Amino acid sequence: MDTLPLLTPHKMGKFDLSHRIVLAPLTRTRSYGNVPQPHAILYYSQRATKGGLLIAEATGLSDTAQGYPDTPGIWTKKQVEAWKPIVDAVHKKGGVFFCQIWHAGRASTYDLQPNGQAPISSTDKPVTPQTMPGGYVMTYANPRRLGTCEIPHVVNDYRVAAKNAIEAGFDGVEIHGYLLEQFMMDNANDRTDEYGGSLENRCRFALEIVEAVIDEIGADRVGMRLSPFADYVDCWDSNPEALGLYVVQSLNKYNILYCHMVEPRMAFMERKHRMGFVDEKRQIPRKLFSMRKIFTGTFIAAGGYDREEGNKVVGEGYTDLVAYGRMFLANPDLPKRFELNAPLNKYNRLTFTIPDPVVGYTDYPFLE
């Protein structure tokens, strides 16, 4: 049998990956009180393989970062200690484990904020109520515009979170967050200071974070996830291609390890899911090619890929690695199933973010 492109090795900086199938960061809301729980040991180790890259779910970098209940954090000593056995379990199976450090910005509610305060953002414009799966309408809090003098404090929160992730044993961090997009995208950013207006100004905050994190843990441990085509929670850009290209070119100056880019189709799919439609067309426009061509590190593409599409885009050089979310969630042995072209478990969307420590979490069956 010919070797599948997805199952070929890849050198990602100092990490020798044995295949190109990545566990995408997936919010599961099972970290009670924002503290990672012991059941996550089994969840992540089930999906770990020797030389396989896993990216942990969005992990809050401060007490203002939460956008969903019971998401993990990494700003306290207790959280760092709780992550250690989870990371150890992945490493014992030979996996490479990165922590996504994240801030929700204005995509939050008063009850998720310390003392019920307003969430922080680039703007004081609120998010319009959003229709969620099943017809539930989500209402967000009115945000507070960050003062220019406050921005260095948030940059430092990212730096400390990166430091804490390394202390917890992670191999590196992935920088992400709705807050960054609220600064980068012109629909959400209505500032008139040095963090608003021009493309350069709107990206200044994100790049200051990249620089601070690199100064703390080194560029060879840093990746970044970008969604220039997204339009989630009232956040989009009038020229997403220009935004993506500018950020990728800027990241090259820092020599970061990888760039994790979300395909534009994902925005369309998420809108359909929120409205209750779940059909997923298997046609992915190649919008990332110009960004992939200029990025000098490892490139990861995410966006509803299946086995056939994943092999195709790796084989054609469109991307180095492919991140799988729902498919990996429901198939903890996804690399093996792809190798054998075995049938896949179907995911149950209704159990994605329930608090149960087993159901829809660690009870998806293996091939055996």
Side-chain angles (χ1 to χ4, degrees):
M1 183 177 64
D2 293 336
T3 301
L4 299 175
L6 280 170
L7 298 179
T8 57
H10 174 73
K11 181 76 172 176
M12 187 178 76
K14 61 185 177 183
F15 302 104
D16 294 314
L17 303 183
S18 61
H19 60 77
R20 298 166 186 255
I21 302 164
V22 179
L23 174 67
L26 301 166
T27 293
R28 307 306 313 272
T29 65
R30 288 165 167 87
S31 296
Y32 314 136
N34 303 129
V35 178
Q37 298 295 306
H39 46 251
I41 297 172
L42 178 58
Y43 171 74
Y44 282 108
S45 64
Q46 281 181 334
R47 289 153 183 82
T49 54
K50 185 177 181 180
L53 174 61
L54 281 66
I55 306 171
E57 61 208 278
T59 301
L61 52 93
S62 72
D63 59 357
T64 69
Q66 312 311 309
Y68 308 95
D70 294 329
T71 51
I74 199 156
W75 72 88
T76 71
K77 183 68 174 177
K78 182 177 182 180
Q79 292 164 339
V80 172
E81 293 301 313
W83 271 117
K84 287 182 178 179
I86 304 169
V87 177
D88 287 345
V90 171
H91 284 161
K92 285 178 181 176
K93 293 189 70 173
V96 177
F97 204 11
F98 271 56
C99 179
Q100 188 189 85
I101 51 177
W102 179 84
H103 199 297
R106 66 176 182 166
S108 186
T109 57
Y110 293 118
D111 61 327
L112 293 174
Q113 296 295 310
N115 303 315
Q117 66 193 32
I120 60 175
S121 183
S122 62
T123 179
D124 56 9
K125 294 187 300 184
V127 179
T128 58
Q130 305 284 303
T131 302
M132 310 304 284
Y136 169 71
V137 177
M138 178 74 176
T139 302
Y140 295 94
N142 292 326
R144 179 178 68 82
R145 184 193 307 267
L146 272 173
T148 306
C149 62
E150 297 178 281
I151 289 176
H153 298 291
V154 182
V155 172
N156 189 60
D157 287 339
Y158 270 91
R159 181 193 64 80
V160 173
K163 178 182 179 181
N164 289 345
I166 299 304
E167 181 183 340
F170 284 101
D171 297 294
V173 300
E174 178 176 280
I175 298 169
H176 187 47
Y178 297 158
L179 180 62
L180 274 66
E181 295 171 352
Q182 290 155 27
F183 272 84
M184 289 191 287
M185 296 182 172
D186 56 16
N187 174 69
N189 187 334
D190 58 357
R191 303 176 73 93
T192 57
D193 60 7
E194 61 264 42
Y195 293 94
S198 69
L199 184 56
E200 179 182 5
N201 282 355
R202 286 185 278 117
C203 295
R204 188 185 308 277
F205 174 53
L207 295 176
E208 286 178 350
I209 289 169
V210 171
E211 186 169 349
V213 170
I214 286 173
D215 286 346
E216 182 63 42
I217 66 172
D220 60 343
R221 292 176 178 265
V222 177
M224 190 171 192
R225 191 179 214 215
L226 299 170
S227 306
F229 298 94
D231 65 350
Y232 188 53
V233 288
D234 283 358
C235 194
W236 67 84
D237 195 80
S238 60
N239 193 343
E241 286 93 347
L243 173 61
L245 284 170
Y246 178 82
V247 177
V248 168
Q249 288 173 327
S250 300
L251 292 178
N252 281 341
K253 301 173 185 177
Y254 297 102
N255 295 314
I256 70 168
L257 183 65
Y258 71 75
C259 177
H260 182 181
M261 192 75 72
V262 180
E263 292 276 5
R265 188 181 72 155
M266 289 307 292
F268 171 70
M269 286 170 56
E270 283 303 320
R271 280 199 304 275
K272 291 171 69 178
H273 282 310
R274 292 198 299 274
M275 297 303 294
F277 302 104
V278 295
D279 57 307
E280 297 176 2
K281 294 181 180 179
R282 289 291 174 193
Q283 184 176 358
I284 298 177
R286 302 296 180 85
K287 293 274 190 165
L288 306 185
F289 190 64
S290 59
M291 301 165 203
R292 190 266 186 274
K293 283 198 300 184
I294 65 173
F295 185 63
T296 55
T298 290
F299 197 86
I300 306 174
Y305 286 97
D306 59 14
R307 179 180 183 269
E308 179 183 356
E309 292 167 338
N311 281 313
K312 184 176 179 62
V313 291
V314 171
E316 293 178 349
Y318 179 70
T319 187
D320 296 308
L321 311 175
V322 179
Y324 288 88
R326 299 174 179 91
M327 200 173 286
F328 216 153
L329 178 157
N331 296 273
D333 53 355
L334 187 64
K336 175 59 67 175
R337 289 179 187 255
F338 277 4
E339 177 186 352
L340 302 177
N341 199 17
L344 299 177
N345 301 321
K346 294 183 179 180
Y347 60 76
N348 181 357
R349 190 177 179 85
L350 296 178
T351 63
F352 282 177
T353 56
I354 64 174
D356 195 285
V358 176
V359 176
Y361 192 58
T362 56
D363 60 347
Y364 282 105
F366 289 73
L367 281 171
E368 293 80 7

